[in-house]
Amino acid sequence: MRRPQVVPDASLPTSVTVYEVGPRDGLQNEDAVVPAAVKVELVRRLLDAGLPVVEATSLVHPRWVPQLADAEEVLGLLVDGLGDRARDLPVLVPNARGLDRALDLGLRHVAVFASATETFARRNLNTGLDEQWAMFEPVVSRALDAGMRVRGYVSMCFGDPWEGAVPLPQVVTAVRRLVDLGVWEVSLGDTIGVGTPGHVVRLLDSLNVAGVPDSVLALHAHDTYGQALANVLAALRHGVSTFDASAGGLGGCPYAESATGNLATEDLVWMLDGLGIATGVSLEPLVATSVWLGERLGKPSPSRVVRALSGVSV
Ligand code: MG
């Protein structure tokens, strides 16, 4: 398999954590509903490809996200196949009911999803921002009391499809609030992919000034407008060393008529490989996994790297 020539940049970190969101964020935004056995196989193959973190599913109400209605079945099969370590795979919990389900399953790592904007909170969570925090605070504190690790997401950090530009202080407030609740990491979501590198730097600067260091931040870039890797590189230069990505670019953009949403894990790993930055991820099994999944979804991966390395045409 072709590889990029490795030309390191001494100003960048020597290793990066790739946080794989395909089985959750990817599949929840695909029209096709795949069987539980395929989801389990996907998680297993991603772990085998060396991904250090794979977010397995979401304990959301099946009516909201029918694609992930089989979350309990998937998690049960993962525990059967992987043993107890499957309980360390992060799982999204949208509310108190989701946390109850996670506790029943004995999970040890959950993620909560907050909005930076009022409109998206209303559309996604059916609450305003004040109610969003009133709902999250007991969920996070109960999860921490139970000994769980809790990751926080903030969506619409770089723009909102209904509100347009999102003021930086509004994003900083949301991130700060999650950090104060005790989450171990906050993922900054460019949910509609409108961020550009200067904006990334400005947001990270503002967060640092507010006492939130890059070491507790991750970037969740979307490639809707082709800016994902540029934004990753800007964040990497700033000091961020965890990046969310979705195998094969799984999951179109839910708020734009675009096939391209999540940054493809293969595209991210290709760039990091070229920079000589260790990720632990092997491109060959990862690309094979995305080709395999594309066959099951009935559509090829939109990832440039998957296409270039697999010869799949679109
Ligand atoms: Mg996403």
Side-chain angles (χ1 to χ4, degrees), residues 157-159 165-168 171 194-204 231:
C157 290
F158 297 89
V166 179
L168 289 177
V171 180
V194 294
T196 45
H199 196 164
V200 171
V201 169
R202 190 71 65 85
L203 176 58
L204 293 171
N231 291 337

Side-chain angles (χ1 to χ4, degrees), residues 36-297:
V38 171
K39 291 170 178 161
V40 171
E41 171 82 0
L42 173 62
V43 172
R44 190 190 61 72
R45 291 178 72 139
L46 293 169
L47 291 169
D48 286 350
L51 281 152
V53 194
V54 178
E55 197 164 274
T57 186
S58 172
L59 290 163
V60 65
H61 195 290
R63 193 170 60 233
W64 294 359
V65 184
Q67 294 93 328
L68 303 183
D70 55 3
E72 263 94 356
E73 183 186 0
V74 168
L75 290 164
L77 290 168
L78 284 169
V79 171
D80 289 347
L82 300 170
D84 187 53
R85 75 184 173 115
R87 295 191 172 92
D88 291 318
L89 300 174
V91 169
L92 194 77
V93 296
N95 51 31
R97 175 72 191 115
L99 178 62
D100 290 340
R101 292 165 69 191
L103 289 166
D104 287 346
L105 291 160
L107 305 184
R108 290 186 286 265
H109 192 175
V110 293
V112 298
F113 194 91
S115 173
T117 69
E118 183 79 24
T119 311
F120 188 64
R122 292 205 176 280
R123 293 199 172 235
N124 191 54
L125 299 166
N126 236 351
T127 67
L129 280 181
D130 289 343
E131 299 99 301
Q132 161 182 288
W133 295 111
M135 181 180 79
F136 278 142
E137 282 166 12
V139 169
V140 174
S141 63
R142 202 149 58 88
L144 293 173
D145 287 348
M148 289 174 159
R149 303 177 82 199
V150 185
R151 185 185 211 230
Y153 285 95
V154 176
S155 59
M156 303 300 173
C157 290
F158 297 89
D160 175 290
W162 302 282
E163 298 186 15
V166 179
L168 289 177
Q170 202 172 310
V171 180
V172 171
T173 299
V175 173
R176 184 73 248 184
R177 201 142 176 182
L178 280 172
V179 170
D180 290 344
L181 286 178
V183 305
W184 70 274
E185 181 170 84
V186 179
S187 173
L188 306 170
D190 184 9
T191 316
I192 55 172
V194 294
T196 45
H199 196 164
V200 171
V201 169
R202 190 71 65 85
L203 176 58
L204 293 171
D205 284 346
S206 301
L207 285 163
N208 293 170
V209 167
V212 181
D214 289 348
S215 58
V216 301
L217 295 169
L219 182 68
H220 184 108
H222 278 199
D223 209 30
T224 322
Y225 299 93
Q227 305 300 299
L229 283 179
N231 291 337
V232 166
L233 189 57
L236 200 53
R237 287 199 193 289
H238 199 280
V240 173
S241 60
T242 299
F243 296 93
D244 297 0
S246 179
L250 199 60
C253 184
Y255 306 99
E257 293 297 320
S258 166
T260 310
N262 286 311
L263 167 61
T265 311
E266 290 87 348
D267 296 11
L268 174 64
V269 170
W270 178 277
M271 183 180 81
L272 295 173
D273 280 356
L275 285 163
I277 295 173
T279 61
V281 182
S282 300
L283 268 176
E284 193 160 2
L286 183 57
V287 168
T289 298
S290 293
V291 171
W292 164 82
L293 188 66
E295 287 162 0
R296 265 126 207 101
L297 290 170

